[in-house]
Amino acid sequence: MIPTKLIPRTAEASEPPLLIKSLLAQSLKYEPQREIVYRDLFRMNYVEFNQRVRRLANVLAELGVKPGDTVAVLDWDSHRYLECFFGVTSAGAILHTVNVRLSPAQILYTMNHAEDKVVLIHEDFLPILTAIKDQLTTVDKFVVLSDKVYGETAPDVLSGIADYFSGEYEALLKEASSDYDFPDFDENTWATTFYTTGTTGNPKGVYFSHRQLFMHTMGLLTYIIGYEAMPFKGSTDVYMPITPMFHVHAWGFPFLATMMSAKQVYPGRYEPELLLKLLIKEGVTLSHCVPTILNMLVSSPAAQKFRDNLSRWKVLIGGSALTKGLAQAATDLGITVMSGYGMSETAPVMAVGYLNEQEQQLPKEDQLELRTRAGRISPFIEMRLMDDEGNFVPHDGHSLGEIVARGPWLTQGYYNDPERGAELWKGGWLHTGDVASISPDYWVMIADRTKDVIKTGGEWVSSLDMENILSQVEGVAESAVIGLPDARWGERPHALIVQKPGYNLTAEAIKSGLKDQVERGELHKWYVPDRILFVPEIPKTSVGKIDKKRIRSEMKEQILTS
């Protein structure tokens, strides 16, 4: 640190901390009558929302939750989840967004590791809770979240949790006061935690402070609204997440949308027909999701029925690479797609696609190539490329290196796991594990995960590039490419393919087409996979990413036994 001269401070001067409650406060200033909608079951305006957030804080206090305690939530994407984003954190407690797609054993581990005190759980997940409740070490109360309260049937509560049951969410809110004064505290106070799974070991606890989430919201505000990377105007746009709210706070967009008092729509459990129905009925214009969800929607017969209504819909894609084939299919339906880049440890946004004035004049095909890149580096994020020896690699658009980053909203480590935290921040930079190139004009182009790059015949082959090539083969709905050991070449690529309905593709025909591209000089010979298997579906992780660890294991077993 160089010597600096600090600003003199008057003893009485006050500088409010950067807290999540400050984001909430903005929602009442300008458009308090805008709506927050849950499926076709519930809607409220921002005045009612703020009251419910304060009622929730009072409910938690009555349940014994104190600042620093952890409150777990297991729910579908809902208005209740949004209330927890603000009510739990603004009261000084820690919000644990539980990944409901993990195995019961992993959920048990994360809840004990996070030291959850109170659990808010949707009735759909009660069987999970019943199976693990006797092994929970810190939980003493459960609150049930029920959709049945919006109908004529009272909520069912399993007798298995009767000893811990503290009430149904809506009933408790109804009885609670809407008068609650959220306190000031240090902006570096722990606000949220969730768990991310890796290839080995137990899930890792990622955590964020109020200041980090506030700054991430400011970063989104600057890039999404200021630069209009994915134009989002509170006066005309309607937001609906299609990324689970347990997955990195639904990428931070609920904080931004609430601060702007924009209309928000929460779809609950993802069902293609309902998602499209809500999209049309509520006038949704901005969403974000992983490619798997977008592929499910554009492949749905209902998408063709609603295609005339999709021209205002903008979708940010992250979590996995957006292939040109999927991008083209979405574009053909009138949907505007753009890629973003980040990871659980980065809150998550570190890059979003942004077409400048010159790029907006390019032919559509060239624009599509840019839209499928990982994005342009976000404001306030410093991103570099590093080789295996720790040297920085030039940003020339060609040289490859591991992405390392610094910024005001990156997690500082893993909870109670200093060794893996030190590995994450080796050398003072957060190591992403992603291999990429960066152009002089700040475009990030992911080549692969370090563990997924295929090293064959002395060459590095990108599995993502191969998946992108296969996605453009007519009749291919989805593909996944992994490298498997080869005695001669070190590794060779192998592919899984899901066909579109009505097609009868063969491995020989696909390989023949790729070899033709090799003959024409359009592809390197290493990009022809050794083996192509047709499957009904491609294995995914709990957050919808292609599960290449599982694919490698299963394909290796098939090859050994064939």
Side-chain angles (χ1 to χ4, degrees):
M1 289 282 188
I2 63 170
T4 58
K5 187 173 183 179
L6 298 178
I7 295 175
R9 291 181 176 272
T10 303
E12 292 79 12
S14 174
E15 190 173 280
L18 305 179
L19 301 176
I20 290 172
K21 73 167 188 174
S22 303
L23 303 176
L24 176 67
Q26 310 314 308
S27 67
L28 287 175
K29 286 184 177 178
Y30 310 113
E31 298 290 347
Q33 298 305 315
R34 288 212 180 111
E35 288 188 313
I36 297 170
V37 179
Y38 175 53
R39 295 173 75 88
D40 52 359
L41 299 175
F42 181 85
R43 59 181 66 227
M44 61 182 163
N45 61 31
Y46 276 93
V47 174
E48 296 165 312
F49 173 71
N50 274 262
Q51 292 171 348
R52 286 171 60 90
V53 168
R54 285 168 168 77
R55 289 179 188 274
L56 172 59
N58 277 315
V59 167
L60 295 174
E62 284 292 318
L63 294 175
V65 174
K66 298 178 177 61
D69 286 340
T70 304
V71 176
V73 178
L74 295 85
D75 193 11
W76 305 112
D77 292 359
S78 73
H79 60 301
R80 298 172 299 239
Y81 222 139
L82 184 66
E83 289 158 6
C84 291
F85 272 33
F86 292 93
V88 174
T89 58
S90 296
I94 301 164
L95 174 65
H96 176 196
T97 55
V98 178
N99 183 343
V100 296
R101 295 176 184 164
L102 296 179
S103 69
Q106 288 176 314
I107 290 175
L108 173 66
Y109 172 83
T110 65
M111 294 177 72
N112 283 338
H113 191 266
E115 301 173 14
D116 296 337
K117 181 179 178 65
V118 172
V119 179
L120 280 61
I121 180 166
H122 192 282
E123 57 197 343
D124 287 355
F125 306 120
L126 286 174
I128 297 174
L129 188 58
T130 302
I132 66 174
K133 67 178 179 60
D134 293 335
Q135 301 172 70
L136 292 169
T137 56
T138 58
V139 174
D140 57 20
K141 292 182 177 69
F142 300 129
V143 173
V144 172
L145 314 175
S146 174
D147 287 350
K148 294 177 183 174
V149 297
Y150 304 116
E152 297 178 355
T153 307
D156 295 323
V157 178
L158 295 188
S159 58
I161 64 165
D163 293 344
Y164 300 92
F165 177 59
S166 298
E168 190 277 321
Y169 184 87
E170 291 295 335
L172 292 173
L173 253 62
K174 186 177 180 180
E175 296 298 320
S177 169
S178 61
D179 184 16
Y180 190 102
D181 187 16
F182 289 119
D184 278 344
F185 41 77
D186 191 306
E187 63 190 33
N188 294 301
T189 297
W190 190 352
T192 67
T193 190
F194 55 86
Y195 285 74
T196 180
T197 55
T199 55
T200 58
N202 288 317
K204 303 185 290 288
V206 179
Y207 51 85
F208 294 97
S209 69
H210 281 255
R211 184 182 190 277
Q212 288 172 320
L213 296 179
F214 186 99
M215 290 304 299
H216 184 265
T217 306
M218 294 304 104
L220 286 178
L221 181 70
T222 302
Y223 210 7
I224 301 298
I225 298 172
Y227 286 101
E228 296 189 344
M230 291 288 286
F232 182 42
K233 297 179 175 62
S235 58
T236 56
D237 281 298
V238 179
Y239 165 69
M240 181 174 74
I242 320 180
T243 302
M245 296 178 80
F246 65 71
H247 188 210
V248 207
H249 324 108
W251 300 357
F253 278 84
F255 290 118
L256 175 66
T258 301
M259 185 192 75
M260 295 173 60
S261 55
K263 181 178 178 180
Q264 302 185 62
V265 180
Y266 288 87
R269 187 172 188 166
Y270 298 160
E271 301 160 3
E273 289 280 348
L274 179 64
L275 288 173
L276 289 166
K277 178 182 175 182
L278 289 171
L279 194 150
I280 304 307
K281 178 183 176 183
E282 304 296 344
V284 174
T285 59
L286 178 66
S287 298
H288 47 77
C289 63
V290 296
T292 306
I293 297 294
L294 182 62
N295 186 56
M296 175 184 73
L297 290 171
V298 301
S299 302
S300 167
Q304 296 297 329
K305 183 169 63 176
F306 294 131
R307 64 180 300 138
D308 293 340
N309 302 98
L310 299 177
S311 60
R312 293 185 64 232
W313 195 28
K314 303 173 288 260
V315 183
L316 181 65
I317 297 296
S320 300
L322 172 64
T323 64
K324 284 187 181 178
L326 179 56
Q328 186 64 63
T331 301
D332 290 344
L333 288 170
I335 303 168
T336 300
V337 290
M338 190 72 80
S339 289
Y341 170 70
M343 54 193 295
S344 296
E345 291 83 350
T346 65
V349 177
M350 292 200 296
V352 174
Y354 170 75
L355 302 182
N356 62 28
E357 291 180 359
Q358 292 73 35
E359 290 161 342
Q360 290 176 30
Q361 308 307 314
L362 293 172
K364 295 297 183 183
E365 176 61 27
D366 294 337
Q367 287 191 28
L368 201 66
E369 192 277 327
L370 294 174
R371 291 177 185 277
T372 54
R373 292 181 178 181
R376 266 193 165 106
I377 300 173
S378 297
F380 316 126
I381 288 292
E382 186 178 0
M383 191 182 291
R384 303 291 296 273
L385 300 174
M386 191 176 283
D387 64 20
D388 292 341
E389 284 73 46
N391 302 309
F392 289 125
V393 173
H395 293 185
D396 57 15
H398 304 288
S399 301
L400 294 175
E402 181 192 10
I403 294 176
V404 296
R406 298 191 297 202
W409 54 74
L410 312 188
T411 191
Q412 298 300 295
Y414 298 117
Y415 181 50
N416 277 346
D417 197 345
E419 289 186 6
R420 288 200 283 189
E423 183 181 352
L424 178 71
W425 276 100
K426 185 173 57 180
W429 290 83
L430 186 145
H431 288 253
T432 66
D434 289 317
V435 176
S437 62
I438 299 177
S439 68
D441 53 353
Y442 304 99
W443 278 103
V444 181
M445 292 149 291
I446 305 293
D448 224 326
R449 294 287 292 169
T450 52
K451 60 180 178 292
D452 292 333
V453 172
I454 301 167
K455 303 173 183 67
T456 181
E459 299 286 339
W460 278 24
V461 174
S462 166
S463 66
L464 299 183
D465 284 349
M466 292 190 69
E467 289 160 6
N468 196 36
I469 292 164
L470 289 170
S471 77
Q472 297 173 71
V473 174
E474 186 176 358
V476 171
E478 263 190 303
S479 65
V481 176
I482 51 97
L484 291 177
D486 183 89
R488 181 179 182 186
W489 302 112
E491 282 187 322
R492 287 294 298 143
H494 297 254
L496 293 184
I497 285 179
V498 176
Q499 297 188 63
K500 293 179 180 178
Y503 283 84
N504 189 25
L505 301 175
T506 65
E508 291 72 21
I510 292 175
K511 285 185 182 182
S512 176
L514 295 175
K515 288 175 181 177
D516 287 345
Q517 289 181 267
V518 171
E519 291 294 326
R520 295 195 298 269
E522 298 170 2
L523 283 183
H524 194 285
K525 65 179 182 179
W526 301 120
Y527 279 74
V528 180
D530 271 17
R531 185 184 183 97
I532 295 175
L533 294 178
F534 293 96
V535 293
E537 62 179 0
I538 289 174
K540 305 291 194 314
T541 68
S542 63
V543 292
K545 299 179 183 179
I546 294 175
D547 191 343
K548 294 198 173 181
K549 177 186 175 185
R550 179 179 162 191
I551 293 170
R552 271 191 289 268
S553 175
E554 292 180 354
M555 288 197 75
K556 194 172 184 179
E557 183 67 25
Q558 286 189 45
I559 290 172
L560 288 173
T561 57
S562 62

